[in-house]
Amino acid sequence: MGRRSPERHGRLAPASALVLVLSLTGCTGSPSSPGTAATPDASATRQGTTSPATSAPGTAQTMPAAPQIPEVAQKLDVGLQLPWSVVFLPNGTAVVSERDSARIKGIHNGQATTIGEVSGVDPGGEGGLLGLALSPDFTTDRWLYAYFTSPSDNRIARMKLTEDSGGQLVLGEAEVIFSGMSKASTHNGGRIRFGPDGFLYVGTGDSQRREQPQDTNALGGKILRLTPEGRPAPGNPFGDNPVYSYGHRNVQGLAWDSDGRLWASEFGPDVDDELNLIIPGGNYGWPTVTGAPARSGLIDAKVVWPSTSDASPSGLEIVDGIAYTGALRGQRLWAVPLEGENAGTPVAYFTGQYGRLRDVTRAPDGTLWVISNNRNPDFAVILKVGP
């Protein structure tokens, strides 16, 4: 649950029931590790899709319908440099973070401009300026949130994003609201997003410290839940503690379905990339297990990609019951149909066409933006999805 390199208190009661997991098929790759939920074959079809899944023995699953093929509406070659996250202003302007430059870019009407640079960013390896999130009350408070690597740790700051008299966006000074997440050359996590409840959810990595994910007093290898001011959110499972779920390796994507369920994409080590349904207080197993071994007290992944060469799932968005996640090493867009708490067969699109795909975000006009990573310059692909 996390991924190989290149790129606070309380106890969890044992889970009363394990999560059911689909038995999936994959495009390519070696067989899954023993006890995981997926057994791949090489039967890829056109469009890079996989063959239908088969339910695991003894389970009863409602199989969601396969997603419709996304249509490319536009490719924006706007000279991005290692973009990591994209969010949208109410007027449709895309706001993009660049990992190594620490710049915030704006894209409007097909043109990119530099809005400003986030102070205190210390890029290196997989660290730098990472996830962005807009305040749920952005139209009145104008707060833009950013997760970034500093010289000493990973932290979250918020900045005012205002307009000058000429209508140009202006980035204010960074106000650090949360710090102390350990840093490393890899496994820095970085995805942040406001949930339907108005609280800020934060995906962290284990920062190569394998003792952290199982320690609910540590911040690494977690999903955190914070108030907009950076305090542990009320109702968190371990009291006055920011930890929401634990046992993660390197959370990269966060998204909610239409019923308010939280899903997260996560890098595996050299096997078993994951899509997880997040339960408050849940233990997702790292570093004890990866994938879906049906181990008592641990929550299995809903989707497992046994071969990380197919996935390395990063940014995540859910549209009309389909979870879309960009794949870095896999260089494709995965679409996973969801049905309640179940996940259907992942389908791959655009395999090898656009390089490494870092983030997937829905725009106000309903299109899906997918940003490439490590093409230098990088670009955005705008997709039409759904009915």
Side-chain angles (χ1 to χ4, degrees), residues 20-354:
L20 295 177
V21 184
L22 292 176
S23 174
L24 305 172
T25 57
C27 288
T28 61
S30 57
S32 99
S33 55
T36 61
T39 303
D41 62 30
S43 57
T45 64
R46 68 179 183 87
Q47 300 290 339
T49 63
T50 58
S51 57
T54 305
S55 294
T59 66
Q61 302 284 0
T62 300
M63 299 303 293
Q68 294 186 5
I69 298 173
E71 176 187 344
V72 178
Q74 191 176 5
K75 179 173 175 282
L76 290 176
D77 291 296
V78 289
L80 300 173
Q81 301 291 324
L82 290 174
W84 210 93
S85 179
V86 56
V87 295
F88 288 91
L89 303 185
N91 69 355
T93 297
V95 178
V96 182
S97 61
E98 290 186 336
R99 190 189 71 189
D100 288 2
S101 73
R103 288 191 294 259
I104 301 289
K105 296 280 187 73
I107 304 174
H108 189 68
N109 293 331
Q111 302 294 318
T113 58
T114 297
I115 299 172
E117 185 173 321
V118 179
S119 61
V121 176
D122 182 37
E126 294 175 359
L129 179 59
L130 304 176
L132 300 178
L134 282 183
S135 165
D137 300 316
F138 179 79
T139 54
T140 55
D141 63 30
R142 308 296 296 190
W143 286 121
L144 172 69
Y145 290 72
Y147 183 117
F148 66 91
T149 310
S150 80
S152 60
D153 60 5
N154 285 297
R155 51 185 54 189
I156 300 169
R158 62 181 183 179
M159 300 147 282
K160 293 288 187 179
L161 186 58
T162 57
E163 291 184 1
D164 63 18
S165 58
Q168 298 299 308
L169 290 170
V170 178
L171 189 68
E173 291 295 318
E175 171 195 335
V176 175
I177 65 161
F178 192 81
S179 61
M181 297 172 286
S182 56
K183 62 175 281 190
S185 60
T186 59
H187 306 181
N188 288 294
R191 195 64 62 186
I192 59 175
R193 197 161 189 178
F194 278 94
D197 56 7
F199 296 117
L200 182 64
Y201 290 74
V202 181
T204 74
D206 69 1
S207 63
Q208 303 177 32
R209 295 165 172 84
R210 291 167 67 96
E211 75 282 0
Q212 286 204 15
Q214 290 297 315
D215 180 0
T216 55
N217 292 310
L219 299 176
K222 306 294 192 302
I223 293 176
L224 311 177
R225 180 172 174 263
L226 307 173
T227 68
E229 296 74 33
R231 297 293 306 160
N236 279 359
F238 304 111
D240 188 24
N241 180 319
V243 173
Y244 189 71
S245 64
Y246 67 109
H248 299 287
R249 189 168 185 265
N250 199 11
V251 176
Q252 293 288 291
L254 300 169
W256 286 262
D257 63 25
S258 60
D259 290 319
R261 287 178 288 255
L262 174 59
W263 298 76
S265 57
E266 184 165 349
F267 290 156
D270 46 6
V271 294
D272 295 348
D273 289 327
E274 300 177 356
L275 178 67
N276 285 298
L277 174 62
I278 303 302
I279 306 300
N283 183 353
Y284 289 80
W286 180 257
T288 306
V289 301
T290 62
R295 185 78 61 86
S296 177
L298 305 178
I299 298 178
D300 283 349
K302 290 294 187 176
V303 175
V304 177
W305 288 269
S307 173
T308 56
S309 64
D310 291 340
S312 302
S314 191
L316 178 68
E317 186 67 284
I318 299 175
V319 180
D320 296 329
I322 307 296
Y324 296 92
T325 183
L328 292 168
R329 190 178 175 199
Q331 298 191 21
R332 65 199 76 180
L333 177 71
W334 283 104
V336 182
L338 306 177
E339 182 69 39
E341 296 184 355
N342 300 322
T345 306
V347 180
Y349 300 105
F350 314 117
T351 301
Q353 294 184 38
Y354 298 118

